[in-house]
């Protein structure tokens, strides 16, 4: 399970340059996470505790997961990705044991534990139903594990949520997820940079203006822009090879090399 995660991490080595926009957000995250991972001695010297937990909040598809993976890769920290619903369902009955196992593995070296959709394990609502009891046990296990982390900054837990107001306030006390960063919907310059990231390897025709695309995609988040680029490339393929049978036909290299994605493909 854990080695599978490492394999997938190696396959897609996400770096800071794969993140469009979000410069300010990224630099506070780097200060909070990269500094203690790389230089725990600075915090010791200054007599302050490095953060153990950082909460990333904001709408889906804006890059929370991307940032967590990039920071892990760039700092050579191990990345342990978990999601709230997965902990609650896939590991039903052994959720706490699973959390303990992950923290144990992480403690072996510099690590980032990424808890996506943390609101699913730590909702604020109270009640006495059996589901709420499980949630409470999982939250208290998580808090115990975080409290037990050495304050040397080598393990940092990043939580992500779309619903920051829905999580148990106990999680946000000092020494837990006590720093928060909002990862919001990109503005026009942000969209332009995200489009640049996702068209980096694409043969774009000269008539394509990423600036204009950024202009007309108000409200698009990173995930939308990524899919826009992918769809444009697919539209070009369909346009070029309307009767193409993938299982039968060979595309000659000369034809492939001349393929470019044009403005009409993005407009589709
Ligand atoms: P969720 O809350 O659904 O987990 P998220 O904020 O974690 O959303 P990501 O999984 O990081 O979103 O983003 C989904 C995909 O969208 C990424 O794999 C990436 O390709 C693209 N994307 C999102 N934001 C950006 C960005 N700022 N720059 C480049 N690509 C982005």
């Amino acid at each position: 399970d854990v080695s599978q995660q490492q394999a997938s991490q190696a396959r897609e080595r996400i770096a800071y340059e794969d993140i469009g926009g979000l410069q300010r957000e990224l630099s506070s995250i780097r200060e909070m996470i990269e500094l203690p991972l790389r230089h725990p001695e600075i915090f010791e010297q200054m007599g302050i505790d490095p953060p153990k937990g950082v909460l990333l909040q904001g709408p889906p598809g804006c890059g929370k997961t991307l940032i967590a993976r990039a920071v892990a890769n760039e700092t050579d920290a191990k990345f342990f990705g978990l999601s709230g619903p997965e902990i609650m369902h896939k590991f039903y009955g052994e959720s706490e044991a699973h959390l303990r196992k992950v923290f144990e593995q992480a403690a072996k070296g510099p690590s980032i534990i990424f808890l996506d959709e943390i609101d699913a394990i730590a909702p604020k609502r109270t009640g006495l139903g059996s589901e709420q009891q499980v949630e409470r046990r999982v939250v208290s296990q998580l808090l115990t594990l975080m409290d037990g982390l050495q304050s040397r900054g080598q393990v940092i837990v990043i939580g992500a949520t779309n619903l920051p107001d829905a999580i148990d306030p106990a999680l946000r006390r000092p020494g837990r997820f006590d720093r928060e960063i909002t990862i919001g919907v990109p503005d026009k310059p942000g969209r332009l940079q995200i489009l640049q990231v996702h068209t980096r390897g694409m043969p774009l025709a000269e008539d394509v203006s990423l600036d204009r695309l950024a202009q007309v995609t108000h409200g698009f988040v990173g995930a939308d822009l990524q899919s826009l680029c992918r769809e444009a490339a697919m539209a070009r393929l369909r346009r070029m090879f309307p009767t193409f049978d993938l299982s039968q036909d060979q595309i000659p290299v000369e034809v492939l090399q001349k393929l470019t994605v044009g403005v009409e493909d993005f407009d589709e």
Side-chain angles (χ1 to χ4, degrees), residues 18-20 22 59-66 116 162 194 198 222-223 226:
D18 298 319
I19 301 172
L22 300 172
C62 294
K64 297 186 289 297
T65 310
L66 202 63
D116 204 3
N162 312 321
I194 295 170
H198 289 288
Q226 177 189 29

Side-chain angles (χ1 to χ4, degrees), residues 50-68:
K52 291 177 176 177
V54 174
L55 189 66
L56 303 181
Q57 58 146 304
C62 294
K64 297 186 289 297
T65 310
L66 202 63
I67 289 177

